Amino acid sequence: MRTFSSGLPLPSAAAAEEQDWESDDVTDSEESVYSGLEDSGSDSSTEEEEEDANDQCVEKKVKDASHSEKMRAGATSQKKEQLHHKKRSSKPLLVSSEPQQLPTENEYAEDSSDEEDIRNTVGNIPMEWYQDFPHVGYDLEGKRIYKPIRSLDELDKFLDKMENPDYWRTVRDKMTGADVKLTDEQVELVQRLQRGQFGDVRFNPYEPAVDFFSHEVMIHPVTNRPADKRSFIPSLIEKEKVSKMVHAIKMGWIQPRKPKEDVPSFYDLWAQEDPNSVLGRHKMHVPAPKLRLPGHEESYNPPPEYLLSEEERLAWEQQEPAERKLNFVPQRFGCLRAVPAYTRFIHERFERCLDLYLCPRQRKMRVNVDPEDLIPKLPKPRDLQPFPTTQALVYRGHGSLVRCLSVSPSGQWLVSGSDDGTVRFWEVCTARCMKTLPVGGAVKSVAWNPNPAVCLVAVCAEQAVLLVNPCLGDKLLYGATDQLLDAYVPPEEERLQPVQWVAATAEEHARGVRLVVQHGKAVKQVTWHGKGDYFASVLPDNGHMQVLIHQASKRWSQSPFRKSKGQVQCVLFHPTRPFFLVATQRFVRVYNLLKQELTKKLTANCKWVSSLAIHPRGDNVICGSYDSKLTWFDMDLSTKPYKVLRHHRKALRAVAFHKHYPLFASGSDDGTVIVCHGMVYNDLLQNPLLVPVKVLKGHALTQDLGVLDVAFHPTQPWLFSAGADATVRLYT
Amino acid sequence: MGGLEKKKYERGSATNYITRNKARKKLQLSLADFRRLCILKGVYPHEPKHKKKVNKGSTAARTFYLLKDIKFLLHEPIINKFRDYKVFVRKLRKAYGKSEWNTVERLKDNKPSYKLDHIVKERYPTFIDALRDLDDVLSMCFLFATFPRTGKCHVQTIQLCRRLTVEFLNYVIASRCLRKVFLSIKGIYYQAEVMGQLITWITPYAFAHDHPTDVDYRVMATFTEFYTTLLGFVNFRLYQSLNLHYPPKIEGQAEVELKPKEGEAYALNSESYMEKLSALSASLARVVAPNLEDEVEIDEFPVDGESAEHEEARRKEQESLEKQKKLFEGLRFFLNREVPREPLAFIIRCFGGEVSWDKSVCIGATYDVTDPTITHQIVDRPNLEKQVISRYYLQPQWVFDSVNAKMCLPVADYFPGVLLPPHLSPFVTEKDGDYIPPEKLKLLALQRGENPESAFSGNTASLPFTEEEEEEEEEEEGGEEDDDGSEEEDDSEKEEEEKLKRMEEQKTQGKKLPVKVTVGTVRLEDKQRRVQEEQNEEKRLAIMMMKKKEKYLYQKIMFGKKRKVREANKLAEKRKAHDATLKLEKKKTKKARRE
């Protein structure tokens, strides 16, 4: 059977079977008895059941069944297949186990219960039980049927295979152990079965269907079987069932199905509505916002300006769907019949549904502020006059950016230093350049001596600080200054100084230079003490020698600090008290020069301090930084800034206080100077009032630099600014 | 420190919220059932104010429900129905598997079902609440009513949706409460004012949908389940308020008449009634016959000052509303077959017009094309073979625009084949500073009655020529209106001054006379400008002194304002460019014609 199902051609299968006789025998017989049902499919299984049933009930059939079983046991696997097939097709089987009676048998040959397989009487037993015996069973007389003598060795088998033309159609009968040569009909039957065809040649599987149970009433009954007896005797079982039901109904256990209630599906639900009842559950209910109503752009025929231009459409397509302002492309149709269905209609409804049940809701307070209310109410700038408002004069002459400027204490003269290596002296009122002093290097800082009795300017030129007598103004005055400088008597014992004081050469002297303080390193800034004798210089260095304090009259210098506290940006003398302010990158330290100690450390709250200015009263300090912040410190109040002003858009370069008026100014890289009103009250409880009053523009931006230095006129509300466009400007 | 240790997240907002999964577990529901329940009960997630606190310190994205909401769901009887249904499905499957057909039938007979009445009442304690939420309900029902009767969702649902929407439309017609309509590219928007509530809904254009695959129809069906219940109750109440029969009955016709005659088998009896209703051509029967004389007049109370003005305004509004309600009264429309019948019939009937259509288009046609009393025929094809002199042939947009304008617009712009004027959205109310399209300005002027020259009773034959000229005139007007910016005026004045100056200079060069007059005027203007500038600078300086937070807010607000202005300017510019090109083209064609 297994070989058949695997689809091998018959001859080889038969040969194979013959070759391993012993083992195959075992398995085959096993299958035939125990697992034959499974193998032969559903048909045979039902047949088997039938047989079982028959065994139990009808005695007459026993023989028949046993016969068929015997048949199966006796037959080879092929035969078994035939048998099944015969049953299935309910046609007479052509092939029986006995080759002699095979083809000519009529259909009752098999069915006859009297005829049994008379050759072997062992019955339907596994044939391997006789494996070890010389015989395979017993014949009718009870004599042993001996197995045919098999002395064939491999060679004989081979020869047999080669010589016997019928070798391929020879199979062994397990019952008798004899070789059986299959007839042509049998071979054909096997081949047909292998091809999956019906065993019977005459059987037509495609016969026209006869609609047997049709609507037409036939004159003949379908079956002629007389009615059963039970059909006209009342059933006891049914009676029992019915009586049970009757009892159950009586007892009320079984009830009829309730009729479907016929309530109108819609009625006046709000007949008694309670307007005070809160929405079912709680007060946190957030009603879903309604959908936005469509605008003109959604019209099928919108005004032309609402249609997207080509670029807008491209931009729309490239945007993420969530980012788009419109979720559709405005389109124009000439008439209503041309308007197509909107493809995303269902999508949009669905999204709305999702929003309704899936989207977290939150009550949001919308800020409804009039922006005008946010603007602080400040005193009007007009009420805070005077302050510089317009550009009055432009001092032209420098060849490169003007880095620094300073005004003489009298307010008549102005000095400016530039990157072109010159220092120029100007008359303030006329913008006339009175004097040009080449110093041979970029001028980083200039400072006019604040003492009105002295006419002296300190100039930073490369590695030296020059003390210059500009010889301007009152002759007596500058003469006196010269005398003052000449009155220097060198001390008896040479003191070790960090710098060298050198008197100017004759040529320099003629130009106005009086003293040269050689620092050995580039000097960044110079600033005078209010009395006009001391001045301080800053060197961009890392050591402790960053700040030096010099005394002009004694030509004496000292380094006040023993330790470096970071890179010093600028220094400043306190106008009234013996304080000295040193600005490093982030902090401004206030030292008491008399006590030689640190009194305060102001935190500037910025990244990099650029400039420093102190209120003439001495209590307030402003500090400009490169991160475009201006910080105002009230030194009595705190070491933190009282206010941080972010007026400029770019880095601050310079800040300045006016000496008399409550004004301060800041110059920045964005080319503007902002003048602020900074009123400091005598009453300590009242905070300073800071009001920006004017934005002064005028300097052109060059190399990303705008205003580099600012200074107020000492007496007038005027402001000077030095810019990167090589000009100095005066605003009045 | 004594006392118990305070544990984190055991009080405050953390205890007020519950995550979705926890809620699901608490309710012992599957996700699908939970979703259904949330949809039906109107429970939605809340966004907590401090998400991290609620989320017990984690920042993972989670949806939170209010714990109160979930506790409220716990007592919902529908949950039990869900469970019953689950059991039912299990039993049914088992019975099928065993081929126990009797059991299957019995089970199917006893299929657990639930009603949503109590939920509707609970979600909308008052009728007005329900009306307020009707937007989505109507849009959804109208969409479902257009679905094909196969697949996607139950046929009963679709039929119910159709029935309810038709009922609602009939109510709107009966109460004449339609206010605005809008033909958008998405569909047709309608806005009705029902008992003081504005209800807006959208209906898709009548085409087959190509059903998207990425849409969960179960969700939509659940929503629709609730919406149909709600809409049914609302309809009932609305009909009751107008003394109409519910379910609606068509006026004047006995049941016998409604039944189709033997020869013209149109549909099943049950269906034909529905079809007639949905034709929207017949008015509904009332329980009590309405008294025509019985209009309520508002009593006038003696009022003073401001409230008198208010009263006046209100009365005017009331009058205009009454007028709008009778917009199409006395007009007889005929809809051609290419015109969408239902929306137009609905709109025309809402404003008192009579409407009919070809008999073969739909049931319910009341008169024929040949009827001589027809005043307007709505046509949407470029040309007509034969026209009747006594009626206007108009494109459908005329109806929509007229409704929105609350007046019958001049018909000249809407003749068949004519380039239609833009169709504007009636939902936009422009505030000052917003861009107003010139068409809207024209319309406003027309509403004020400023443009009496409109050819309302114009002759069709002579129109094509006069029309162009009119358009041109209008365009020119529009152009002048457009460039009335103050700056430009200033500029032009300046230019004139400069011209004058130059001329004077040329004159005076020879004579060397001192210049007087022009200098004076310049100074005068400068003064104004200086004041302006000063104020501007003051403001700028004050802005500099703002605190960081306020400055940020201020800048945000100003940015928004500026963006608005920018957008308005952009639109105006686009319009200008468009008009210019149009004019050029027109000139060219004219020249070509002359040559």
Side-chain angles (χ1 to χ4, degrees), chain A residues 456 467 484-495 497 499-502 515 517 528 532-535 549-558:
Chain A
L456 202 61
L467 294 183
L484 190 76
L485 289 177
D486 290 340
Y488 167 72
V489 183
E492 284 136 26
E493 47 186 293
E494 191 77 11
R495 279 187 297 187
Q497 287 200 21
V499 293
Q500 269 187 317
W501 288 76
V502 183
L515 282 171
V517 188
W528 285 96
D533 192 14
Y534 287 98
F535 66 94
I549 296 180
H550 316 273
Q551 193 177 9
S553 57
K554 292 190 179 158
R555 300 190 186 178
W556 182 64
S557 305
Q558 58 178 338

Side-chain angles (χ1 to χ4, degrees), chain A residues 257 260 263 265-275 277-282 284-286 290-291 293-296 298-309 312 325 327-337 339-342 345-350 352-353 356-362 367 369 371-372 374-376 378 380-382 643 645-647 674 690 692-695 697, chain B residues 35 39 42 44-49 66 69 72 106 109 117 120-127 130 132 135-136 139-140 143 147 163 182-186 189 198 200 202 204-205 207 211-212 214-216 219-220 223 227 229 232-233 236-237 240 246 340 380-382 396-397 420-425 427-428 430 435 437 534 537-539 541-542 544-546 550 554 561 567 570-571 574-575 578:
Chain A
R257 232 171 250 168
K260 288 262 163 83
V263 184
S265 51
F266 299 121
Y267 50 92
D268 192 0
L269 189 67
W270 292 279
Q272 300 115 18
E273 62 182 27
D274 177 15
S277 76
V278 193
L279 172 85
R281 23 192 175 140
H282 55 78
M284 294 279 280
H285 177 58
V286 186
K290 294 198 169 189
L291 278 178
L293 289 173
H296 296 314
E298 206 179 309
S299 165
Y300 86 103
N301 182 14
E305 61 268 32
Y306 286 99
L307 295 171
L308 296 186
S309 64
E312 281 168 332
K325 220 174 161 199
N327 56 3
F328 59 93
V329 181
Q331 270 174 299
R332 187 198 171 95
F333 299 98
C335 51
L336 188 60
R337 69 171 185 281
V339 183
Y342 183 59
F345 194 93
I346 295 178
H347 275 281
E348 280 184 7
R349 288 326 311 169
F350 178 59
R352 173 69 178 169
C353 285
L356 284 178
Y357 90 90
L358 218 54
C359 183
R361 297 187 199 166
Q362 188 179 36
V367 189
V369 191
E372 299 303 319
L374 291 173
I375 298 172
L378 294 173
K380 286 197 169 176
R382 191 179 296 175
K643 208 150 230 180
L645 309 174
R646 290 181 194 78
H647 294 170
I674 293 179
L690 308 183
V693 288
K694 190 71 192 170
V695 179
K697 287 169 189 166
Chain B
R35 191 170 58 200
I39 291 172
Y44 46 86
H46 281 254
E47 183 80 6
K49 228 176 191 178
L66 275 183
D69 274 348
F72 162 76
R106 183 173 50 80
D109 245 19
D117 308 10
V120 172
K121 184 75 200 271
E122 185 185 85
R123 279 177 70 173
Y124 305 106
T126 63
F127 183 56
R132 230 174 261 156
D135 287 15
D136 292 316
S139 299
M140 191 63 128
L143 171 66
F147 275 175
R163 202 192 96 200
F182 179 49
L183 289 167
S184 111
I185 53 171
K186 293 182 178 176
Y189 286 89
L198 282 178
T200 317
I202 180 173
Y205 287 115
F207 292 104
H211 284 278
D214 51 345
V215 162
D216 190 353
V219 170
M220 301 234 286
F223 268 102
Y227 284 165
T229 317
F233 285 118
F236 187 93
R237 176 93 180 189
Q240 211 185 31
Y246 189 89
D380 197 3
R381 50 178 84 177
Q397 195 188 320
L420 287 168
H423 179 57
L424 296 174
S425 166
F427 303 114
V428 182
E430 280 94 354
Y435 171 73
E534 231 166 62
E537 180 155 11
E538 247 170 58
K539 202 171 155 190
L541 292 170
M544 287 203 298
M545 280 307 282
M546 266 195 212
E550 285 174 355
Y554 178 81
K561 279 189 173 177
E567 271 164 14
K570 198 178 168 191
L571 285 176
K574 257 173 140 180
R575 179 62 186 230
H578 180 262

Side-chain angles (χ1 to χ4, degrees), chain A residues 63-213:
Chain A
K63 266 189 180 175
D64 199 51
S66 67
H67 167 69
S68 69
E69 274 171 8
K70 203 193 279 173
M71 280 288 296
R72 204 176 300 135
T76 59
S77 50
Q78 300 138 355
K79 278 178 195 156
K80 226 182 298 159
E81 193 66 28
Q82 289 158 14
L83 188 69
H84 293 317
H85 168 67
K86 181 204 79 182
K87 295 261 162 148
R88 187 165 53 219
S89 56
S90 70
K91 290 270 175 181
L93 180 67
L94 297 178
V95 187
S96 88
S97 52
E98 265 183 290
Q100 301 96 308
Q101 359 168 279
L102 265 177
T104 51
E105 283 290 344
N106 63 351
E107 56 184 283
Y108 298 107
E110 275 307 296
D111 263 9
S112 139
S113 56
D114 300 332
E115 272 187 55
E116 286 182 346
D117 191 3
I118 45 161
R119 294 163 299 160
N120 196 344
T121 55
V122 287
N124 188 11
I125 53 155
M127 287 312 287
E128 73 262 22
W129 290 353
Y130 286 93
Q131 215 169 4
D132 298 334
F133 297 101
H135 59 280
V136 289
Y138 307 92
D139 62 7
L140 280 174
E141 278 100 53
K143 286 182 181 161
R144 287 176 171 178
I145 304 172
Y146 287 95
K147 285 178 188 168
I149 298 152
R150 298 242 168 214
S151 55
L152 293 176
D153 55 357
E154 291 297 312
L155 189 64
D156 289 329
K157 272 182 193 170
F158 179 73
L159 286 176
D160 192 26
K161 194 176 176 180
M162 288 291 110
E163 287 164 4
N164 188 3
D166 291 334
Y167 175 81
W168 60 273
R169 56 160 76 177
T170 314
V171 289
R172 174 171 303 152
D173 186 354
K174 272 185 208 164
M175 284 304 261
T176 54
D179 283 346
V180 180
K181 201 180 102 188
L182 296 182
T183 59
D184 284 344
E185 287 82 1
Q186 282 170 331
V187 168
E188 197 195 349
L189 178 71
V190 168
Q191 279 171 345
R192 283 179 66 78
L193 288 174
Q194 266 190 319
R195 279 189 303 245
Q197 289 166 336
F198 284 100
D200 189 358
V201 188
R202 285 162 299 180
F203 179 71
N204 179 14
Y206 306 110
E207 269 173 10
V210 180
D211 196 4
F212 192 72
F213 294 100

